[in-house]
Every structure is written in C-alpha cells, then in structure tokens.
Amino acid sequence: MVFANRIAAAEQLAAALSEYRDKHPLVLAIPRGAVPMAKVIADELNGELDVVLVRKLRAPGNPEFAIGSVDESGWVYLADYASQVGADKEYIRNEVSTQLETIRQRRSQYTPVRQPVDPAARIVIVIDDGLATGSTMLAALHALRAKQPAELVCAVPVAPPDTLKKVRGNADRVICLSTPINFGAVAQFYMDFPQVTDEEVIAILATSGQAH
C-alpha cells in the first residue's frame, strides 16, 4: 500500500478511528511529520490536538540511525543494540541532554502560550506518519501511560510487523493500515513525502489551541 501523501494517509486513519468520533479524544502528533495528519484526524473525530515531544537518540557517527529515544520527562528507551554501535554511557548521557534541550526549545516554540494538554482520563490517540524502529513511538507511549489516560491508542499508516509487535505491548490498541515485510524507510510508502517545517507545525497548533 502506497499513500499519495500524509493527508491521504490521515484520512484513511481517521476512517479507521471513526468509533472515537465525538468522544473528545486527545489526538497527539509526534512532530514534525505527523502534525498535519493529526490535525486532519482531530478535526474528523471532533477531538483535541496537541503534540507529544520525544526525540530519537542518534547512533555515534550515524545521526539517521536511532539507538533509542527520550521523552519530555527525561525517560530514556535504549535499544538492545546501542552498545554494539559504540554508544557508551558517556555518549548516551550527552546525547540525552542534547535531545532534551531540543525538546525544551520545541515546546516553547510550538505551544508558547499554554501548557501541554493533560491526557489523564482521556482517550489518547498517538499519531505518526509511519514507524521504522518504533523507538520514538515507544517513548511517546511510555510518557503518556505514566499520565493515566483512559485508553491509549497508537495509530499509524505503515510499520513493519516486528516493530508493531514491540509497540503492541505499550498501547491498549494499535491501528496500522499497512504492514509490509520489505520495509526500508517510511518515505518509500508515500508518493509525496515533503519535510514538514517548524513553521507549519506552529501555524497548525496555533489554530488548534483555541478550544482551551
């Protein structure tokens, strides 16, 4: 299954999530790519939109390769192969503090005039534009579980089967439209997959924050 673009994928996800319509779900995007998608889904479901801020931890010398992730509270998920690619304790400590600084900057940029929406006792739907290793989604789900939502749902257009298995144990429900075996990168499942800019994210969140 190949999606035309993120908006097309979001419309299909919204249809798959239709039972949550009018239950005032909190739809949380993992920035930046998922933010335009989460807006479509929140609008379709009459939900509320916000971001969940997590960052991948980059492998030494290979910034595209994730060895884990960190959430806004400082909780760290480390993949079992982290040490094999040269990430020792000191490297990890430095990388965590670098990514936490980015998270702080993004929070002040993205939602400067309000606190993050409290997920406690809410139906929470976490959106990403696809999962590869799943480390960012795992950190997001862990951060949210600690805040005691009524139901925690992970919804993505595409992910490899082994990643979905890891994620399933951390959400009450996982919705994934396509689970290809031959998975290279998320971008291969989109005809059009442009970078989403910080400016786009800020504009989307500014128009969505009016419901508070």
Side-chain angles (χ1 to χ4, degrees), residues 55-58 70 90-105:
R55 295 283 296 170
K56 75 177 178 188
L57 302 175
R58 302 162 301 180
V70 60
E90 188 181 3
Y91 174 86
I92 290 164
R93 194 164 51 240
N94 291 336
E95 177 65 1
V96 165
S97 73
T98 299
Q99 298 306 337
L100 276 174
E101 184 51 37
T102 303
I103 286 176
R104 276 191 286 275
Q105 286 169 359

Side-chain angles (χ1 to χ4, degrees), residues 36-193:
M37 295 178 60
K39 170 146 179 58
V40 168
I41 292 164
D43 288 349
E44 274 291 312
L45 303 180
N46 294 324
E48 190 173 9
L49 173 68
D50 202 6
V51 286
V52 54
L53 295 184
V54 283
R55 295 283 296 170
K56 75 177 178 188
L57 302 175
R58 302 162 301 180
N62 186 356
E64 285 306 303
F65 186 63
I67 55 164
S69 48
V70 60
D71 73 23
E72 210 163 351
S73 74
W75 180 81
V76 173
Y77 164 79
L78 266 190
D80 46 17
Y81 53 77
S83 59
Q84 294 159 17
V85 297
D88 60 19
K89 279 188 177 140
E90 188 181 3
Y91 174 86
I92 290 164
R93 194 164 51 240
N94 291 336
E95 177 65 1
V96 165
S97 73
T98 299
Q99 298 306 337
L100 276 174
E101 184 51 37
T102 303
I103 286 176
R104 276 191 286 275
Q105 286 169 359
R106 281 197 167 175
R107 178 58 75 186
S108 62
Q109 243 185 321
Y110 288 172
T111 57
V113 292
R114 62 175 175 82
Q115 288 293 306
V117 180
D118 186 1
R122 297 280 296 270
I123 294 166
V124 175
I125 303 172
V126 190
I127 308 292
D128 206 351
D129 50 20
L131 305 180
T133 65
S135 61
T136 314
M137 179 61 78
L138 284 169
L141 293 171
H142 184 275
L144 291 161
R145 178 65 81 199
K147 293 171 182 167
Q148 301 180 316
E151 185 179 358
L152 186 55
V153 181
C154 161
V156 293
V158 62
D162 55 336
T163 295
L164 273 190
K165 212 180 296 175
K166 278 190 286 189
V167 169
R168 277 212 167 86
N170 292 270
D172 298 314
R173 187 166 177 205
V174 175
I175 290 174
C176 182
L177 303 176
S178 176
T179 52
I181 307 289
N182 299 325
F183 195 101
V186 170
Q188 81 189 71
F189 300 99
Y190 288 85
M191 284 187 277
D192 187 26
F193 195 67

